Amino acid sequence: KRMFSRDFTIGMIFLSQTTLGILGNFSLLYHYLFLYLTGYRLRPTDLILRHMTVANTLVILSKGIPQTTVAFGWKGFLNDFGCKLVLYVQRVGRGVFIGTTCLLSVFQAISISPRNARWAELKVKADKFIGPSNILSWILHMLVNIVVPFCVAGNWNNKTITKIKDFGYCSSVVRDTTTRLPHSMLFSFLDVVYLRLMSSAGGFMVFILYRHKKRVQHIHRNNLSPSSSPESRATQTILVLFSTFVSFYSLSSIFYACVTLFNTPSWWLINISPLFVACFPTVSPFVLLSSDSSVSRLCCVCTGKK
């Protein structure tokens, strides 16, 4: 009974998270589709956010559905090909949503940069490179994670392998530490690069907002306050996204490293790790939908203003 209660509880948590994540990301996609169909001119950042939303949805579906079904007792439902595909989609989706979050932070930092000749040229180039950067992110992570299908197998193959790591719906071959460490470092390299870029962009945005606030402190007109600036509101939203991402990413990275390095990770570790991985893709669309800029743009469309 205790085992059943534990599995049922974690299953309900996964089901709630998956349902909430799908609802949020599909609402955000519908929001952008509605703006597009009504003739509203989308901003450059909206293209980044659409790619982020698609990646978020892939992570939630490929993580949440298998974990939920396993928690409710339906094991071995994926064959070898299905297992390889699900794990591959998970890794690619995770890599892309991290990459697009980084791209969003860097682009917004360039957007609020000082209005001089050097930054003006960079702003024009940044607009042109958003589309190719999104496509490059997908291609890069599809290539980097091409090794993932060769490291996992469906549970129906487990009988032929003596050293396996069981994840419930899939298994991976347990390799020695000297083999696992280089792969872990390879997968972590891009994450480290993204985090450094995001940290630099976040620090720059905080500096610009602080300097702007100091400049307008002595101006008493309400329409010139930092909070009334659309750029300031957008920057604050992205900073909230960045802070949320770093928090969940740090926790998920710690749990993922433990699952990867331990030969026989505990039930608790195996189930908690995917929960944190899917937290940011679940929360981020609600942060974006609740931001003032999105609400005001939707109101402008409804009233006929563009």
Side-chain angles (χ1 to χ4, degrees):
K1 290 183 179 180
R2 183 179 179 183
M3 182 78 68
F4 174 79
S5 176
R6 183 184 66 175
D7 290 340
F8 180 79
T9 301
I10 198 69
M12 290 302 299
I13 294 174
F14 277 119
L15 180 60
S16 301
Q17 184 187 56
T18 304
T19 304
L20 191 65
I22 292 173
L23 177 64
N25 283 282
F26 272 80
S27 297
L28 192 59
L29 283 174
Y30 172 78
H31 173 65
Y32 289 125
L33 180 62
F34 179 78
L35 291 175
Y36 175 77
L37 293 177
T38 51
Y40 192 90
R41 185 178 179 182
L42 296 177
R43 300 173 304 181
T45 52
D46 291 333
L47 179 60
I48 304 175
L49 292 173
R50 280 183 288 175
H51 282 267
M52 179 193 293
T53 305
V54 172
N56 286 348
T57 304
L58 290 178
V59 172
I60 292 169
L61 291 175
S62 60
K63 272 283 185 187
I65 293 178
Q67 292 288 162
T68 302
T69 53
V70 169
F72 285 136
W74 189 15
K75 298 184 178 182
F77 61 95
L78 286 176
N79 59 17
D80 190 60
F81 174 78
C83 183
K84 293 178 186 297
L85 179 63
V86 166
L87 266 296
Y88 181 70
V89 170
Q90 283 180 19
R91 295 297 303 182
V92 172
R94 178 184 178 276
V96 172
F97 88 67
I98 295 175
T100 49
T101 305
C102 174
L103 180 61
L104 182 65
S105 301
V106 172
F107 179 81
Q108 188 63 26
I110 295 173
S111 298
I112 66 169
S113 58
R115 300 179 182 277
N116 54 44
R118 183 182 62 181
W119 284 104
E121 183 179 356
L122 183 59
K123 289 181 182 182
V124 174
K125 291 182 178 179
D127 288 349
K128 294 179 179 179
F129 282 107
I130 284 181
S133 296
N134 282 316
I135 296 173
L136 180 62
S137 179
W138 284 99
I139 295 174
L140 177 63
H141 289 286
M142 288 173 70
L143 293 176
V144 168
N145 291 286
I146 199 68
V147 68
V148 171
F150 299 100
C151 301
V152 297
N155 282 334
W156 63 277
N157 271 343
N158 288 352
K159 295 180 181 179
T160 62
I161 306 173
T162 55
K163 292 185 177 182
I164 60 167
K165 187 182 296 184
D166 187 7
F167 296 103
Y169 58 93
C170 284
S171 302
S172 66
V173 180
V174 176
R175 295 164 292 174
D176 56 83
T177 306
T178 56
T179 306
R180 279 179 286 167
L181 194 57
H183 284 96
S184 300
M185 292 177 64
L186 174 65
F187 289 140
S188 300
F189 175 74
L190 284 174
D191 291 0
V192 172
V193 173
Y194 288 145
L195 280 175
R196 294 201 63 174
L197 287 173
M198 279 189 279
S199 299
S200 300
F204 179 76
M205 285 189 283
V206 170
F207 170 75
I208 293 295
L209 288 177
Y210 175 77
R211 189 174 66 174
H212 180 61
K213 183 178 180 180
K214 296 290 287 185
R215 284 180 177 178
V216 300
Q217 269 184 342
H218 305 292
I219 302 175
H220 301 289
R221 284 163 44 181
N222 292 332
N223 62 336
L224 291 179
S225 65
S227 59
S228 64
S229 168
E231 286 188 345
S232 296
R233 290 199 303 268
T235 303
Q236 290 165 6
T237 300
I238 291 172
L239 285 174
V240 171
L241 273 180
F242 169 71
S243 302
T244 305
F245 169 79
V246 171
S247 300
F248 287 131
Y249 174 83
S250 301
L251 290 171
S252 65
S253 295
I254 293 172
F255 284 109
Y256 178 76
C258 293
V259 171
T260 303
L261 296 176
F262 293 165
N263 288 340
T264 55
S266 65
W267 176 95
W268 181 84
L269 194 59
I270 288 176
N271 284 279
I272 292 299
S273 179
L275 275 177
F276 281 111
V277 170
C279 275
F280 179 77
T282 301
V283 172
S284 58
F286 294 100
V287 174
L288 294 167
L289 286 170
S290 63
S291 64
D292 291 337
S293 57
S294 295
V295 173
S296 63
R297 287 194 297 147
L298 189 58
C299 290
C300 288
V301 171
C302 295
T303 56
K305 298 178 182 180
K306 297 182 182 181

